[in-house]
């Protein structure tokens, strides 16, 4: 039966090539845009090579202080995390690292700019980089403030001409570091693992940062299991109530929750209630879902109209089949198969086009070291969009078909 439906569907679609082309264009373009957007979000927030334990990892990338007349936002401070986050319940590992900042290296009169990040040794135990040379720095390197560095392949190419860099010395931020490891490039959209050069935080030119409550430092917490994530979040929030703020006359509250990267991103979006971060991720996901539905709805409505026109053109055929006893569910099933086939073909075209678009974006260099691909997660989202599109555009016309009066249909009517 399904095979018969498919053969008939192909013949029907080939009968009116122009309408079929318009339908395929709308479907493929819609799924192209949605797939590209899904690939961007998966690239930025999905599990990646460097963040394989993201399902049980929490971050603090932004803190906000509130007062009756003032609001101040920045990254956290080393003292804040060192004093209040070290022994959180359910915590397996805690990493403190600086924000990435630009430093310069001068080579043969040429200035080379790089993104440098100062980290602790736990940073390398929570994240997993692909090392092409050497290894990361460890506890002793941090404790003794050794001037060692891990660099990425792009930095090796820029400074050492692509030659092996292990044991070589480079200058960055006015300091000289010995290279002990080289890793593959990490996309700038993965803000936590991203950098060109990584060095121990203890090599900073001053230790003033160790006394700061806010500014210059991010925290990354690896929970023992997913169930422990809520305990880490809640306990740290309760400890923030005891934090001595820099200027208690201007600021009375500090918001710095341990949260997922998606939740942190959602809290920074316009119109977000940053004082109450708990629900921001759901609001953000809801907003994205609503925008996605609206984006799907417009071409779906156009496809509905085209499908209804196609049905009305086949009114006589439908009338004959109903007059000979064809049940409504058979006619509905046939039309849904036609619409699903059309959606699958349009979706396949959209997927192929999205591969070329993502490759073009990758080659453009708009996002440093980013490589956009379609993996199984993105493919799954694309299939979900395709099914949703097929349902929205096919159910109502199929219902209209089932409601056609046989006598009116035989006369070519639509009632």
């Amino acid at each position: 039966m399904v095979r018969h439906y498919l053969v008939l569907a192909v013949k029907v679609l080939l009968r009116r090539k122009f309408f079929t082309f318009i339908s395929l264009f709308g479907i493929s373009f819609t799924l192209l845009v949605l797939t590209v957007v899904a690939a961007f979000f998966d690239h930025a927030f999905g599990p990646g090579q460097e963040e394989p334990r993201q399902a049980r990892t929490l971050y603090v990338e932004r803190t906000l202080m509130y007062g009756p007349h003032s609001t101040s936002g920045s990254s956290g401070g080393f003292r804040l995390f060192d004093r209040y986050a070290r022994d959180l319940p359910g915590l397996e590992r805690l990493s403190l690292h600086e924000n990435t900042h630009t430093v310069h290296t001068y080579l043969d009169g040429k200035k080379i700019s790089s993104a440098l990040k100062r980290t602790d040794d736990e940073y390398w135990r929570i994240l997993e980089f692909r090392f092409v040379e050497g290894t990361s720095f460890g506890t002793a390197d941090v404790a003794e403030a050794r001037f060692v560095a891990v660099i990425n392949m792009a930095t090796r190419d820029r400074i050492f001409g692509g030659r092996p860099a292990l044991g070589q010395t480079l200058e960055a931020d006015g300091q000289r570091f010995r290279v002990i490891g080289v890793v593959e490039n990490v996309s700038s959209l993965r803000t936590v693992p991203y950098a060109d050069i990584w060095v121990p935080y203890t090599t900073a030119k001053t230790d003033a940062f160790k006394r700061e409550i806010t500014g210059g430092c991010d925290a990354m917490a690896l929970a023992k299991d997913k169930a422990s994530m809520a305990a880490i979040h809640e306990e740290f929030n309760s400890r923030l109530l005891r934090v001595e703020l820099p200027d208690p006359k201007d600021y009375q509250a500090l918001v710095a929750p341990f949260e997922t990267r998606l939740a942190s991103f959602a809290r920074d979006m316009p119109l977000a209630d940053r004082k109450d971060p708990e629900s921001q991720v759901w609001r953000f996901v809801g907003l994205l879902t609503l925008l996605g539905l609206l984006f799907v709805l417009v071409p779906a409505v156009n496809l509905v109209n085209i499908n209804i026109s196609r049905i009305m053109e086949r009114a006589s055929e439908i009338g004959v089949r109903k007059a000979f006893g064809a049940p409504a569910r058979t006619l509905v099933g046939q039309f849904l198969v036609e619409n699903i086939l059309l959606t699958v073909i349009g979706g396949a075209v959209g997927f192929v086009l999205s591969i070329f678009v993502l490759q073009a974006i990758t080659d453009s260099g708009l996002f440093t070291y980013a490589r956009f691909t379609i993996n199984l997660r993105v493919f799954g989202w694309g299939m979900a969009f395709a099914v949703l599109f097929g349902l929205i555009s096919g159910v109502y016309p199929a219902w209209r078909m089932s409601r056609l009066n046989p006598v009116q249909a035989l006369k070519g009517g639509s009632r």
Side-chain angles (χ1 to χ4, degrees):
M1 181 66 72
V2 175
R3 181 180 178 183
H4 173 73
Y5 282 168
L6 288 174
V7 173
L8 186 60
V10 172
K11 292 181 178 179
V12 170
L13 294 177
L14 292 177
R15 185 187 304 170
R16 298 297 301 272
K17 296 181 177 63
F18 178 74
F19 281 140
T20 300
F21 171 78
I22 294 298
S23 300
L24 286 175
F25 177 81
I27 294 170
S28 59
F29 179 76
T30 301
L31 294 180
L32 163 66
V33 174
L34 292 175
T35 301
V36 170
V37 172
F40 263 78
F41 271 87
D42 182 78
H43 180 82
F45 301 107
Q49 163 62 31
E50 293 77 25
E51 298 175 281
R53 306 178 186 89
Q54 201 173 55
R56 55 188 181 98
T57 305
L58 296 170
Y59 308 85
V60 181
E61 298 182 274
R62 184 169 178 80
T63 63
L64 291 165
M65 292 192 299
Y66 292 95
H69 308 293
S70 303
T71 300
S72 176
S74 69
S75 53
F78 183 89
R79 183 185 175 194
L80 175 70
F81 303 122
D82 188 51
R83 183 172 180 180
Y84 297 98
R86 289 293 186 188
D87 58 345
L88 289 169
L91 187 67
E92 182 177 325
R93 297 188 182 280
L94 177 71
S95 169
L96 307 184
H97 51 274
E98 284 186 349
N99 306 135
T100 303
H101 63 281
T102 301
V103 297
H104 304 294
T105 300
Y106 294 90
L107 183 65
D108 298 329
K110 181 181 178 182
K111 183 171 72 172
I112 300 174
S113 298
S114 303
L116 182 140
K117 178 172 289 186
R118 299 181 187 273
T119 78
D120 58 11
D121 50 297
E122 290 291 340
Y123 178 88
W124 302 97
R125 299 186 180 101
I126 298 176
L127 303 178
E128 290 188 7
F129 291 79
R130 290 192 182 99
F131 278 84
V132 295
E133 291 185 48
T135 187
S136 62
F137 47 82
T139 304
D141 296 311
V142 175
E144 298 175 16
R146 296 172 183 169
F147 283 80
V148 293
V150 175
I151 64 174
N152 64 3
M153 295 175 64
T155 303
R156 182 182 65 178
D157 294 340
R158 289 194 299 264
I159 296 179
F160 301 106
R163 299 185 304 275
L166 204 62
Q168 299 293 323
T169 301
L170 65 83
E171 181 183 347
D173 200 24
Q175 299 173 311
R176 299 194 67 81
F177 298 91
R178 179 172 56 87
V179 177
I180 62 170
V182 180
V183 298
E184 292 186 355
N185 300 330
V186 181
S187 170
S188 59
L189 294 178
R190 313 290 296 202
T191 56
V192 175
Y194 165 72
D196 291 312
I197 305 171
W198 297 261
V199 300
Y201 74 86
T202 47
T203 60
K205 297 177 182 178
T206 173
D207 64 353
F209 69 92
K210 294 183 178 180
R211 298 184 289 275
E212 300 293 335
I213 290 295
T214 62
C217 185
D218 292 337
M220 175 172 52
L222 179 65
K224 294 179 180 178
D225 49 51
K226 294 187 68 173
S228 301
M229 296 172 72
I232 292 173
H233 176 87
E234 294 170 5
E235 176 62 22
F236 189 67
N237 281 350
S238 68
R239 294 183 183 186
L240 292 180
L241 300 176
R242 307 195 303 267
V243 174
E244 299 177 1
L245 300 179
D247 194 342
K249 292 183 179 179
D250 292 330
Y251 304 107
Q252 282 85 47
L254 175 66
V255 175
F258 271 104
E259 56 196 352
T260 64
R261 284 207 60 240
L262 180 60
S264 179
F265 180 80
R267 192 156 57 93
D268 281 338
M269 294 299 291
L271 305 180
D273 183 2
R274 296 173 178 83
K275 293 183 181 180
D276 180 23
E278 305 300 328
S279 61
Q280 291 312 310
V281 65
W282 297 112
R283 293 180 185 179
F284 181 63
V285 171
L287 177 61
L288 286 181
T289 303
L290 177 61
L291 292 176
L293 288 175
L294 291 176
F295 186 77
V296 170
L297 187 61
V298 174
V301 169
N302 291 331
L303 186 57
V304 165
N305 292 330
I306 293 175
N307 287 337
I308 290 176
S309 299
R310 254 199 342 250
I311 287 174
M312 294 306 106
E313 289 180 351
R314 300 163 60 188
S316 298
E317 171 198 336
I318 296 169
V320 170
R321 295 185 64 183
K322 295 192 75 170
F324 278 91
R329 66 175 179 273
T330 300
L331 297 174
V332 169
Q334 176 189 330
F335 181 78
L336 287 177
V337 168
E338 293 175 10
N339 200 65
I340 290 173
L341 177 62
L342 188 66
T343 303
V344 168
I345 295 174
V349 174
F351 274 123
V352 173
L353 291 176
S354 65
I355 292 174
F356 288 104
V357 170
L358 290 172
Q359 185 60 49
I361 296 173
T362 297
D363 295 339
S364 71
L366 290 174
F367 304 94
T368 307
Y369 309 138
R371 297 187 62 84
F372 299 101
T373 59
I374 295 180
N375 55 31
L376 289 177
R377 290 187 300 273
V378 176
F379 180 78
W381 278 107
M383 290 301 297
F385 292 142
V387 170
L388 178 63
F389 195 92
L391 289 175
I392 293 176
S393 61
V395 170
Y396 178 69
W399 178 81
R400 284 287 299 270
M401 174 189 284
S402 69
R403 301 288 293 177
L404 283 176
N405 182 282
V407 176
Q408 294 293 331
L410 287 169
K411 295 180 180 179
S414 60
R415 299 172 66 90

